[in-house]
Amino acid sequence: MAFQARKATKIIPHFGNRMMNFLGSIEMGFASSYYATQLHKTPFSVQKIGNGVVGFEDMPTHLSARRFKSIKVEKRLDSVNDDRDNQVLEFPGGKVRFTPHMSFIPDRDKERIPCFRVLDDNGQASIFSNFTQVSKEVAVKMYNDMVTLQTMDTILYEAQRQGRISFYLTSIGEEAINIASAAALSLDDLIVPQYREAGVLIWRGFTLKEFASQCFGNKDDHCKGRQMPVHYGSKRYNYFTVASTIASQIPHAVGAAYSMKMEKKDACAVTYFGDGGTSEGDFHAALNFAAVLEAPVIFICRNNGWAISTPISDQFRSDGVIVKGRAYGVRSIRVDGNDALAVYNAVRAAREMAIQEQRPILIEALTYRVGHHTTSDDSTRYRPAEEIEWWRVAKDPVSRFRKWIESNGWWSNEAESELRSSLRKQLLEEIQLAERREKPPVAEAFTDVYDVPPSNLKEQESWLRKTIKTHPQDYPSNFPL
C-alpha cells in the first residue's frame, strides 16, 4: 500500500513554567509522543486554527510516521557511538543510549499532569486561556441541550422509581461532557458510546418521543423492544447501539476508525467510557491497536471517580488515565469535564488532529457522577452524601455554563423559566404516550439475525407464544402476539 507524504498539523510546544513534554495552545496540555529535545530541533512555521496557534512540519503519514528511524540490518546487534560519543544500541524501534548509572523510572511524577480549563466555578473565562469562542447560537443550543438532558434524566428516573420502566441511569453531573463534545464533532463522525452519552443523541436531533419509546420498549422503539432502557442506538445519527458490557465498545471504535482511514473519509470515530473501563483489557488492547495502526479515533474517558462502588484509588496508582495514553504512544490531554467550553475546545482540537494527522487522541475528562450508578445502585452506601451534594451544587456544569452565557447577555431568568417549564410538559406528555403505545409484536424478537429463521429459532418462538397464552398475567395487556 502506497502512502503519500503531506503536511501534518501539530500544536506548538509552549515552555515557560510548563512541562516541556506537553503540546498545546496556552494551558491546553496535549501530551506528545515526541520528546521535548526532539521538538527543539524541529523546524516549524506558524499558523492559526481558530484562536489556537499551530505549527507545520513535513511528516509522512504512513505507519512509521511517528516512530523512530529504522535501523540498519548490519548494525542490529552492534553497539555504536552517537554524535555525542555515547554508546548506543541499534535496536528495533530506534537507538537506545547506554548509561553507567543505574536508575529506575519513577512510578509517577512529583506533580500531577495539569487539567485544561476555560471557565472557573463562577462561569468566568480565564484571561490567560487562549480558547476558541463559540457563537451565541451554538452556546444557547449547548445550554438548552444540557438542560434537556438534565430534565429528561430527572423525570425518567422518577418513572423508574414508580415502576413504569424497568431500569434507568442518569448523566447528572456529566452534562458538559455529553453536549460540549457533541457540539465539537461532525454528524459524519461515528459515535461508539458507553451508556451515559444520551446527550450526544440530543445534540444530533434524537427526539424526546424517541427517548421515551426506547425506554418503554414500544412499537416506535428503533430497537424493537429488544434492548434495556437507555441502551439507545440510531443509524440516522451515526450512533452505535449501546451495549452494557464494560469497555467492549472501545476496540470496536478503533476498528471503525481504521476503516474510515482506509476509505479516506473526512471523519473519525469517537468512543466514550468511564474510569472503570480503563481497568479492562479491551481499553489497553484498543489503545495499542489505535497507536500502531494510527487510527483516527478519539477516546473520551469520563473519569468520574467511581466504577460503580469502586473508587479510582482502588483501580490504579497512576496519575489518572492520561498517562496511559502516553504509555501507548497516544497524544493525550486532561480536561475539566464540568467546563463545557474546555471540553468543546479539547474535542474540537482532538478531532482536527485525529483526521488531519491520522492519529488517535485520548481525552481524560475529570468530573463526578452526582447520581447513583444506575437505578439498581444506592451510592450513599459507599460515599458520603455531603460529598455528592458538594459536587451537585458547587461544581454543577449546567449552572457554570449558564453563568457564562448570562454574562454575555445571551440568557435570562425568563428564558430559563420558559425552557424548563416547556421541557417538563413535553416530557410528561411523551412518557404518557409512550407508556400507552402498543408493544412490538412477538415475532420482532426473532427477526434481523437470519434471512430465513432456522428451525430452532422457530421452535423458541412457538414456546414463547405458548407461554404468553398460558400465563397472561405475567405479560402486559397490550402485548401483541
Side-chain angles (χ1 to χ4, degrees), residues 44-80:
F44 283 95
S45 60
V46 176
Q47 177 169 324
K48 286 191 120 223
I49 293 182
N51 291 329
V53 183
V54 299
F56 288 86
E57 117 179 272
D58 284 318
M59 184 188 303
T61 60
H62 53 75
L63 295 181
S64 63
R66 283 169 283 278
R67 298 177 189 170
F68 295 98
K69 187 187 298 183
S70 298
I71 64 169
K72 295 181 179 180
V73 175
E74 64 271 16
K75 292 185 177 181
R76 182 171 297 161
L77 299 178
D78 295 340
S79 295
V80 298

Side-chain angles (χ1 to χ4, degrees), residues 410-442:
W410 298 342
W411 199 248
S412 65
N413 290 333
E414 293 76 16
E416 179 77 13
S417 178
E418 182 181 347
L419 172 64
R420 291 188 179 272
S421 175
S422 174
L423 280 173
R424 185 169 182 82
K425 181 181 178 181
Q426 290 178 58
L427 276 162
L428 290 174
E429 288 178 355
E430 293 297 351
I431 286 174
Q432 291 171 2
L433 291 171
E435 194 171 23
R436 295 194 298 264
R437 188 78 165 116
E438 188 181 32
K439 301 296 181 183
V442 169

